[in-house]
Amino acid sequence: MQLKVLGCSGGIGGENRTTAFLLDEHVLIDAGTGVGSLSLESLLAIDHIFLTHAHFDHIACLPMLLDTVAGMRRGAPITLHARRDTITILQEHVFNWRIWPDFSLIPDESNALLHFSPQEVGETHEVAGCRITALPAVHTVPAVGFGLDSGKSTVVFSGDSTGGDAFWAAVNSTQNLATLIIETAFPVREASLAHAARHLCPATLQCELARLTLPAEILITHLKPADSELILHEIEALGLSARALCTGEVIEF
Ligand SMILES: [Zn+2]
Ligand SMILES: [Zn+2]
């Protein structure tokens, strides 16, 4: 199974794209601006979208993805998996006929393009041969991380989160953990902003990673573009065994 990184930045500009991963051909994990680099053919192949949360950097391309493929999928729905709270936020603030049409009613309710599939923390949805489990997350809005279990190994993506007891309990009970993708959005000098925004900085990353009891490759995501080099330098200076995730890289698992 392949997890392709379409976007892994905390912002845009140049090569930076916000969070989105393509799991093989048919499953999208988050729908940030990284989705914009996919071909029309690849967009058409997406049958399932799993969202960590409703912040704009994780959903920016969702409305346009739906609009782009709406007339071409010949009635085949796209299923959006997310917490009920996240679905409600999207319904109230995005698919409200003002920001964007409600694709769960287009062309009509019984043949709609967009189908919501609520997934609460701890629940596993098996799609396209992958067991995808919603993991606990601590953020400013309802959020989850995901455990992606191919049957051979598991990639954990923490989403936007400061970690927390429940998250590490879930990660440390993963049978076949191979890779942990974890955010570090801010440098140490922005520690108070990171805390207020429920993101990590290198100092809090160090505290959180100390709670990991299993061996795993650690990949850092969601670096703010203006400070990405500084954040990586700070992580290196702390002696943490981790490297930056790269747009375009493919994780085999
Ligand atoms: Zn967020
Ligand atoms: Zn984010």
Side-chain angles (χ1 to χ4, degrees):
M1 194 154 273
Q2 292 189 329
L3 186 68
K4 182 169 186 186
V5 182
L6 305 178
C8 59
S9 177
I12 58 171
E15 298 297 305
N16 295 302
R17 307 274 184 276
T18 69
T19 307
F21 300 89
L22 189 63
L23 179 62
D24 285 344
E25 287 174 77
H26 303 298
V27 181
L28 191 63
I29 310 289
D30 277 347
T33 65
V35 175
S37 61
L38 289 175
S39 67
L40 189 55
E41 186 184 16
S42 296
L43 293 173
L44 263 175
I46 294 168
D47 295 323
H48 295 271
I49 302 171
F50 287 75
L51 289 185
T52 57
H53 65 303
H55 274 160
F56 208 78
D57 53 323
H58 300 253
I59 65 158
C61 278
L62 174 63
M64 285 173 286
L65 163 62
L66 296 171
D67 187 54
T68 299
V69 303
M72 306 167 74
R73 286 185 56 92
R74 301 175 191 280
I78 292 177
T79 303
L80 192 151
H81 308 253
R83 286 179 60 166
R84 278 183 183 78
D85 289 345
T86 300
I87 292 170
T88 299
I89 292 167
L90 292 172
Q91 290 171 321
E92 289 181 354
H93 300 286
V94 179
F95 300 111
N96 57 12
W97 299 103
R98 291 182 175 183
I99 296 294
W100 210 246
D102 182 355
F103 279 93
S104 68
L105 298 174
I106 295 175
D108 57 68
E109 195 166 2
S110 52
N111 301 293
L113 172 66
L114 179 60
H115 172 73
F116 293 113
S117 179
Q119 182 183 25
E120 302 304 331
V121 170
E123 291 181 5
T124 299
H125 288 189
E126 185 160 356
V127 296
C130 191
R131 288 172 51 79
I132 301 177
T133 302
L135 303 177
V138 178
H139 199 38
T140 54
V141 295
V144 296
F146 288 115
L148 313 174
D149 184 356
S150 68
K152 188 172 134 198
S153 62
T154 292
V155 174
V156 166
F157 169 45
S158 68
D160 284 11
S161 176
T162 54
D165 295 345
F167 172 73
W168 290 110
V171 172
N172 289 327
S173 63
T174 304
Q175 297 288 333
N176 52 7
L177 181 67
T179 301
L180 170 62
I181 300 171
I182 187 166
E183 63 127 300
T184 309
F186 292 99
V188 170
R189 73 160 192 278
E190 306 269 33
S192 59
L193 175 57
H195 177 70
R198 297 296 185 271
H199 280 292
L200 294 174
C201 71
T204 47
L205 174 72
Q206 183 180 36
C207 295
E208 293 301 312
L209 286 181
R211 307 173 73 177
L212 176 64
T213 60
L214 301 174
E217 180 184 32
I218 310 295
L219 302 176
I220 306 298
T221 187
H222 212 296
L223 305 163
K224 291 287 181 187
D227 287 315
S228 58
E229 284 185 23
L230 173 61
I231 296 166
L232 291 172
H233 177 73
E234 289 176 346
I235 289 171
E236 193 182 346
L238 288 168
L240 300 176
S241 173
R243 70 164 174 88
L245 189 65
C246 300
T247 298
E249 83 169 279
V250 176
I251 298 167
E252 305 257 2
F253 70 107

